[in-house]
């Protein structure tokens, strides 16, 4: 039967008889228009649904499915074939049919079998209805079915195959859920690293607390021709780099850019394809870190080394042995004891007047760092300052200054950055607070007491075998925190039960093959939701990655390049660093190399020494931008070609920052004068015990008990409403003697004023002549 003959017969048939002859007509039209997923194909479609819906996988989070836009069809060049075969559709009647279809419970249930929950079903229907109502002409198959339904020759349920086809267009994930689940199956991570599985590795776990010498007792390293050290901080890598270059004649970084035989870098930078004789992974307990744990897992499972030395806490031994059991590798455990004793004091510091040489005050915020440093200077003492955002060179310079017995600097003020990667001659660790902001696995900020592991790591820095302080001491700034500290330190360290994982670029690329229109951030969300892990692993928090992905989403980049840019470590709290990532990505997309000259102009080099704290923070941000350039230069050498020049520039900037930190108290003073820094109050959190566990129950605002005097204590009525005198004392702008002298002068002046009023017989309106008590103000 020819097409024209078929069309003529169809047009002559009454509407009631068209349905009976639809099979013959559709058979004739199939070569021209393809298969019809109408009533004839409904049985096969339903059969497919039952088999597709029979999986036992977890229900996906459909809120992550972002609908695509399906535009209505405009006028067709061939005309409205469906209308020619039947008749034009009455849009009002069609709308009634669609509304009836939406309300059918059987249709909603059938949609659920295909993965369309109530949310997706509603979104898909709205899109489907708009498509039907706004199209100038519809595909012939759906036009015929709608016409039959309007004339009572077909059932409204016959629309379901067309609705499902449309739903899969706007939610392509519905059509490939099984494939996506296979791609995101993370239950056997050792199989991701075939090169490492081909090597018979020897795993040695050096277990023990800090100050045991475990990191420096590896004769195998110095004898190896090719070795690598991977740690959590650039600081540690920098220190090992300096020491290695200082004791060896060979240059560990080749001028021509070739891979050096001796490598020291952060664990995220480790190569899982380069063969080594010996590799060292430091701080292996960070394999549980919610954000960075994946890097330690990758290094542990993927390093191609004949010997892999792990250094870290005993809490990680069981997990490491379990993971190595799955790779068929045995673990040799070497235990180490602390070389110097350490004790928790029975009294708190209470006042900065009680500081002694070798003391280190540990703070968990920059504001506290600035405040304490300022108050120490007022007492005529000099202090070194170390916090996380300082460049590695500046941290090492401050550490060297503090460690030098001939240097007048005898006090250290630092964050918990001292817990890793620095060797310091500390006599006594003083916790300024026990509350540390943290990010949980959901990416939420929490204020909780430090964990036993964190407390031990920081406290363990007191007392160093090779220093003048052979015995370490630990205490707190405030007496009320001391009992809590003792309880934290006595608690056993919870064993590490799971290692972090992170989707690889290859896995995301396979995801994108099935979901080509999804953004990278959305791909990550869906991947994490579909992922399957066993009890030994967890998927790390991806918020920082998604932040970068959304930041550069509008820039045209290939998926692999976009993925690499998003893994670049940046501080998203630094606007200049974030805008630099954006600018670097934009330059890359234009195929314009980021040269040394371009970067100098971008950062407005040369830079002036800092005049206040804000200037210092800006310089730290510029240093981070140079770090970002160097990080990208390892991945895209042709587009970031001037790494050696940038490294020299960074050293020069490091020197400027060092000078600023050396004069940090002057910068703080200027910042306070110009109201660029607010150090009036410092939020903290009081702790209480509940059923044997430590919980943060209530927040309180407390000032530093800096002077050990009644005159410095805030009013007991409300700790949040401090008098001007109390605030000035907290800021270190007043001393007890100065405050007493001011009180005497004020009382003398008030007495003289009272005498004058008595002699003149006048008083200010609304006041009484009453002698002021000395303590009333």
């Amino acid at each position: 039967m020819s097409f024209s003959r078929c069309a003529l017969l169809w047009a002559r048939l009454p509407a009631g008889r068209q349905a009976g002859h639809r099979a013959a007509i559709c058979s004739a039209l199939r070569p021209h228009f393809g298969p019809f997923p109408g009533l004839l194909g409904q049985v096969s479609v339903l059969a497919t649904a039952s088999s597709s819906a029979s999986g036992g996988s977890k229900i996906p989070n459909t809120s992550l499915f972002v609908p695509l836009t399906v535009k209505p069809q405009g006028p067709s060049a061939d005309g409205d074939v469906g209308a020619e075969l039947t008749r034009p559709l009455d849009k009002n009647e069609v709308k009634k049919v669609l509304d009836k279809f939406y309300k059918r419970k059987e249709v909603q249930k059938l949609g659920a079998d295909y993965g369309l929950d109530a949310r997706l079903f509603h979104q898909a229907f709205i899109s489907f209805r708009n498509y039907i109502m706004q199209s100038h002409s519809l595909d012939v198959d759906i036009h015929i079915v709608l016409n039959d339904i309007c004339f009572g020759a077909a059932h409204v349920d016959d629309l379901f195959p067309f609705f499902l086809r449309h739903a899969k267009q706007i939610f392509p994930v519905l059509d490939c859920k099984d494939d996506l689940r296979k791609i995101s199956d993370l239950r056997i991570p050792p199989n991701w690293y075939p090169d490492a599985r081909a090597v018979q590795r020897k795993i040695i776990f050096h277990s023990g607390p800090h100050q045991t010498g475990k990191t420096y007792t590896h004769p195998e390293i110095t004898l190896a021709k090719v070795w690598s050290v991977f740690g959590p901080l650039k600081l540690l890598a920098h220190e090992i780099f300096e020491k290695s270059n200082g004791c060896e004649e060979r240059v560990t970084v080749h001028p021509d850019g070739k891979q050096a035989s001796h490598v020291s870098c952060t664990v995220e930078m480790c190569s899982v394809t380069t063969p080594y004789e010996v590799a060292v992974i430091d701080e292996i307990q960070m394999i549980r870190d919610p954000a960075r744990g994946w890097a330690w897992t990758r290094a542990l499972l993927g390093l191609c080394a004949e010997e892999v030395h792990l250094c870290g806490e005993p809490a990680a031994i069981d997990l490491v042995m379990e993971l190595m059991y799955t790779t068929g590798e045995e673990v040799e455990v070497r235990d180490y004891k602390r070389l110097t004793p350490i004790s928790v004091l029975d009294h708190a510091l209470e006042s900065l007047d009680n500081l002694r040489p070798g003391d280190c005050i540990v703070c968990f915020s920059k504001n506290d760092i600035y405040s304490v440093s300022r108050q120490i200077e007022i007492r005529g003492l000099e202090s070194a300052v170390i916090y996380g955002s300082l460049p590695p060179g500046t941290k090492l310079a401050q550490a060297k200054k503090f460690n030098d017995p001939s240097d007048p600097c005898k006090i250290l003020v630092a964050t918990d950055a001292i817990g890793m990667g620095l060797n310091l001659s500390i006599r006594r660790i003083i916790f300024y607070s026990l509350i540390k902001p943290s990010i949980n696995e959901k990416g939420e900020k929490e204020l909780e007491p430090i964990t036993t592991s964190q407390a031990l790591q920081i406290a363990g820095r007191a007392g160093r075998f090779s220093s003048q302080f052979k015995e370490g001491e630990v205490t707190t700034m405030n007496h009320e925190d001391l009992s809590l500290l003792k309880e934290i330190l006595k608690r056993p360290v919870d064993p590490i039960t799971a290692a972090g994982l992170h989707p690889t670029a290859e896995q995301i690329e396979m995801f994108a093959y099935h979901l080509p229109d999804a953004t990278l951030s959305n791909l990550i969300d869906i991947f994490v939701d579909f992922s399957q892990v066993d009890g030994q692993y967890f998927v790390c928090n991806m918020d920082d990655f998604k932040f970068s992905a959304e930041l550069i989403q509008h820039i045209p980049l290939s998926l692999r390049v976009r993925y690499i840019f998003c893994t670049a470590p940046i501080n998203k709290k630094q606007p200049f660093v974030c805008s630099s990532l954006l600018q670097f990505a934009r330059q890359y997309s234009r195929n314009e190399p980021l040269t040394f000259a371009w970067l100098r102009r971008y950062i407005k080099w040369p830079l002036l020494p800092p005049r206040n704290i804000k200037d210092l923070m800006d310089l730290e941000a510029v240093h981070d931008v140079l770090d970002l350039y160097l990080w990208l230069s390892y991945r895209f050498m042709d587009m970031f070609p001037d790494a050696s020049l940038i490294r020299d520039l960074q050293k020069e900037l490091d020197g400027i920052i060092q000078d600023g930190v050396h004069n940090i108290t002057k910068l703080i003073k200027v910042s306070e004068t110009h109201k660029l820094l607010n150090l009036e109050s410092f939020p903290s959190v009081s702790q209480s015990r509940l059923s044997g566990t430590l919980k943060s129950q209530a927040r309180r605002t407390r000032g530093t008990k800096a002077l050990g005097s009644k005159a410095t204590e805030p009013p007991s009525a409300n700790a949040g409403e401090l008098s001007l005198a109390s605030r000035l004392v907290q800021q270190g702008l007043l001393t007890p003697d100065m405050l007493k002298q001011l009180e005497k002068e004020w009382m003398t002046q008030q007495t003289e004023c009272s005498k004058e009023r008595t002699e003149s017989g006048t008083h200010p309106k609304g006041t009484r002549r009453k002698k002021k008590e000395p303590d009333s103000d």
Side-chain angles (χ1 to χ4, degrees):
M1 183 182 295
S2 66
F3 174 77
S4 56
R5 176 66 176 163
C6 174
L8 180 62
L9 290 175
W10 180 273
R12 290 178 178 177
L13 285 174
R17 296 180 60 190
Q18 286 176 357
H21 294 273
R22 182 162 50 185
I25 300 299
C26 289
S27 176
L29 293 179
R30 188 170 289 111
H32 300 277
F33 297 100
F36 279 56
L39 185 61
L40 296 177
Q42 191 166 358
V43 175
S44 61
V45 170
L46 291 176
T48 305
S50 62
S51 62
S52 175
S54 61
S57 303
K58 65 178 182 180
I59 300 175
N61 179 8
T62 58
S63 65
L64 302 175
F65 300 170
V66 179
L68 303 179
T69 302
V70 178
K71 295 181 179 179
Q73 292 189 18
S76 173
D78 297 330
D80 193 344
V81 178
E84 292 177 6
L85 291 175
T86 58
R87 63 194 65 194
L89 294 173
D90 185 337
K91 293 291 184 176
N92 292 326
E93 291 297 323
V94 170
K95 186 176 183 302
K96 293 178 181 178
V97 169
L98 293 175
D99 290 343
K100 184 178 179 181
F101 173 82
Y102 177 73
K103 295 176 182 179
R104 290 272 297 167
K105 297 296 183 183
E106 293 82 357
V107 170
Q108 295 176 15
K109 184 178 182 303
L110 191 58
D113 292 339
Y114 282 91
L116 290 167
D117 61 9
R119 176 183 171 276
L120 294 188
F121 184 88
H122 177 74
Q123 286 184 289
F125 174 76
I126 296 299
S127 176
F128 180 64
R129 185 180 63 186
N130 291 340
Y131 174 81
I132 296 294
M133 300 301 293
Q134 296 175 16
S135 292
H136 286 80
S137 61
L138 296 171
D139 291 338
V140 64
D141 51 0
I142 191 172
H143 186 108
I144 292 172
V145 172
L146 281 171
N147 182 77
D148 284 357
I149 296 173
C150 289
F151 285 93
H155 196 275
V156 69
D157 290 354
D158 291 350
L159 277 178
F160 185 80
F162 303 99
F163 168 72
L164 182 63
R165 182 174 67 183
H166 185 88
K168 289 181 177 180
Q169 283 182 287
I170 67 171
F171 295 116
V173 67
L174 296 173
D175 214 16
C176 55
K177 286 191 294 185
D178 292 339
D179 292 330
L180 297 182
R181 285 195 177 96
K182 290 178 182 178
I183 297 170
S184 57
D185 190 339
L186 307 180
R187 287 176 291 189
I188 315 178
N191 291 352
W192 303 350
Y193 309 103
D195 293 342
R197 301 291 75 79
V199 180
Q200 188 60 39
R201 305 187 305 173
K202 182 180 180 181
I203 312 295
I204 303 172
F205 195 121
H206 302 268
S207 168
H210 290 285
Q211 308 297 355
T212 60
K214 59 183 182 294
T215 311
Y216 297 93
T217 55
H218 309 316
E220 302 92 339
I221 297 179
T222 55
L223 295 176
K225 293 181 180 179
V226 182
W227 57 261
S228 57
V229 179
F230 308 108
L233 303 173
K234 290 180 289 185
L235 177 62
L236 178 62
H238 184 85
E239 187 175 19
I240 294 175
F241 172 83
E242 295 293 337
K243 288 184 177 180
S244 299
N245 282 346
C247 66
E248 297 180 16
E249 295 181 359
R250 286 178 293 178
V251 178
T252 59
V253 178
H254 295 294
D256 58 2
K258 293 181 180 179
Q259 177 68 57
S261 59
H262 295 180
V263 176
S264 175
C265 62
T266 56
V267 70
E268 285 90 348
M269 294 284 288
C270 81
S271 169
V272 293
T273 57
T274 304
Y276 299 105
E277 289 184 36
V278 178
V280 179
I281 306 176
D282 199 16
E283 307 293 355
I284 186 62
Q285 72 274 1
M286 288 194 68
I287 200 169
R288 68 179 164 199
D289 188 85
R292 299 178 63 196
W294 64 269
W296 274 264
T297 305
R298 175 175 172 270
L300 176 62
L301 298 177
L303 276 173
C304 300
E306 297 172 18
E307 286 189 15
V308 179
H309 292 261
L310 312 175
C311 301
E313 299 176 2
I317 293 177
D318 289 344
L319 177 63
V320 169
M321 295 185 75
E322 289 177 12
L323 297 183
M324 293 300 96
Y325 178 80
T326 64
T327 65
E329 296 165 323
E330 295 183 357
V331 181
E332 176 188 342
V333 179
R334 299 180 185 176
D335 293 314
Y336 295 79
K337 302 298 181 183
R338 184 177 169 88
L339 300 175
T340 57
I342 186 171
S343 60
V344 182
L345 301 180
D346 292 327
H347 57 273
L349 186 70
E350 297 288 351
S351 169
L352 294 181
D353 292 330
N354 299 325
L355 287 171
R356 297 179 296 175
D359 279 348
C360 172
I361 302 178
V362 177
C363 308
F364 294 119
S365 76
K366 274 190 177 180
N367 258 5
D368 289 346
I369 290 276
Y370 300 147
S371 171
V372 173
S373 301
R374 183 81 173 89
Q375 294 177 50
I376 290 174
E377 187 217 22
I378 290 176
R379 287 160 174 75
L381 302 175
E382 190 173 342
S383 64
V385 173
I386 296 175
Y387 51 87
S389 59
L390 287 177
T394 303
K395 291 177 184 174
L396 290 174
Q398 289 290 298
K400 183 179 180 181
K401 176 183 176 182
F402 173 72
N403 289 338
D404 187 356
S406 61
D407 195 288
C409 173
K410 303 299 181 185
I411 309 297
L412 176 63
V413 183
T415 63
D416 56 337
I418 65 168
M420 297 179 184
L422 277 174
N423 290 308
L424 298 162
S425 300
I426 298 173
R427 177 206 301 268
R428 181 171 57 174
I429 288 286
I430 303 161
F431 284 92
Y432 186 75
S433 169
L434 295 177
I435 302 300
K436 179 185 178 182
S438 62
I439 304 296
N440 63 20
E441 294 183 4
K442 297 180 180 180
E444 301 166 339
K445 189 173 182 179
E446 294 180 338
L447 286 175
E448 293 288 340
I450 56 176
T451 65
T452 300
S453 178
Q454 292 168 338
L456 289 171
Q457 192 167 48
I458 298 170
R461 291 300 171 183
R464 186 182 172 198
F465 181 73
S466 58
S467 73
Q468 58 180 318
F469 306 121
K470 304 298 183 183
E471 297 184 6
E473 298 175 342
V474 183
T475 188
T476 59
M477 181 70 190
N478 303 287
H479 179 72
E480 60 266 27
D481 290 335
L482 189 56
S483 59
L484 178 58
L485 175 63
K486 291 181 179 180
E487 184 173 342
I488 292 175
L489 292 174
K490 286 180 181 178
R491 295 178 65 192
V493 178
D494 295 330
I496 300 172
T497 57
L501 292 176
H502 187 291
T504 65
E506 292 77 14
Q507 290 167 332
I508 296 302
E509 282 180 331
M510 286 189 286
F511 243 59
Y513 173 80
H514 293 283
L515 305 172
D517 296 311
T519 66
L520 179 54
S521 177
N522 190 227
L523 286 173
I524 291 294
D525 280 336
I526 298 174
F527 185 97
V528 172
D529 184 60
F530 273 64
S531 63
Q532 303 175 70
V533 295
D534 62 21
Q536 295 175 326
Y537 299 97
F538 67 92
V539 180
C540 286
N541 181 278
M542 303 285 292
D543 284 353
D544 288 347
F545 185 98
K546 289 166 52 185
F547 173 84
S548 297
E550 292 166 1
L551 184 68
I552 64 173
Q553 178 57 42
H554 63 286
I555 298 177
L557 297 169
S558 69
L559 182 64
R560 177 60 67 102
V561 170
R562 189 181 302 277
Y563 179 95
I564 293 174
F565 266 91
C566 292
T567 56
I570 65 169
N571 181 358
K572 61 184 181 183
K573 295 180 181 178
Q574 288 279 10
F576 183 61
V577 178
C578 296
S579 64
S580 297
L581 178 71
L582 184 64
Q583 186 62 36
F584 288 1
R586 185 176 289 116
Q587 287 288 111
Y588 185 100
S589 70
R590 297 170 180 166
N591 200 29
E592 299 175 0
L594 288 87
T595 62
F596 176 69
W598 180 91
L599 192 61
R600 278 174 60 96
R601 292 194 301 272
Y602 177 73
I603 64 174
K604 297 180 172 58
W605 189 269
L607 300 173
L608 298 174
R611 295 167 297 177
N612 51 54
I613 290 297
K614 183 180 181 301
D615 289 349
L616 179 62
M617 294 173 66
D618 290 343
L619 291 178
E620 293 169 5
V622 174
H623 191 279
D624 287 346
V625 169
L626 300 184
D627 255 346
L628 175 62
Y629 182 100
L630 294 174
W631 191 92
L632 291 168
S633 71
Y634 289 111
R635 278 82 179 171
F636 309 110
M637 293 183 180
D638 54 336
M639 296 299 293
F640 297 83
D642 296 331
S644 59
L645 295 174
I646 299 302
R647 198 172 285 110
D648 293 338
L649 189 69
Q650 193 178 44
K651 289 181 180 178
E652 190 174 345
L653 176 58
D654 200 337
I656 298 174
I657 294 176
Q658 286 183 37
D659 292 339
V661 174
H662 182 73
N663 300 308
I664 192 167
T665 52
K666 295 181 181 178
L667 304 185
I668 295 171
K669 192 184 300 183
V670 172
S671 299
E672 289 175 327
T673 302
H674 292 83
K675 297 182 180 180
L676 299 175
L677 189 65
N678 179 18
L679 301 179
E680 289 189 0
S681 61
F682 310 102
S684 183
V685 182
S686 62
Q687 306 90 28
S688 65
R689 303 177 192 173
L690 180 60
S691 301
T693 61
L694 301 177
K695 291 189 176 182
S696 175
Q697 296 289 356
R699 291 176 173 79
R700 59 185 170 83
T701 304
R702 64 161 173 80
T704 307
K705 295 183 179 179
L707 307 174
S709 169
K710 290 183 179 180
T712 68
E713 295 178 0
S716 58
N718 190 339
E721 299 177 0
L722 302 179
S723 66
L724 176 61
S726 298
R727 295 202 303 271
L728 292 174
V729 168
Q730 283 186 4
Q731 296 174 42
L733 301 177
L734 284 179
T735 64
D737 294 337
M738 293 169 62
L739 186 58
K740 291 178 181 178
Q741 182 64 29
L742 286 172
E743 288 177 351
K744 291 180 181 178
E745 292 178 2
W746 183 83
M747 289 302 301
T748 303
Q749 185 178 7
Q750 288 295 102
T751 303
E752 293 176 355
C753 290
S754 297
K755 289 181 179 179
E756 291 177 1
R757 293 193 191 101
T758 302
E759 292 172 358
S760 62
T762 59
H763 313 291
K765 185 178 181 180
T767 64
R768 285 186 174 183
R769 291 173 55 194
K770 181 179 179 181
K771 185 177 180 180
K772 289 264 188 176
E773 293 295 328
D775 294 335
S776 62
D777 287 301

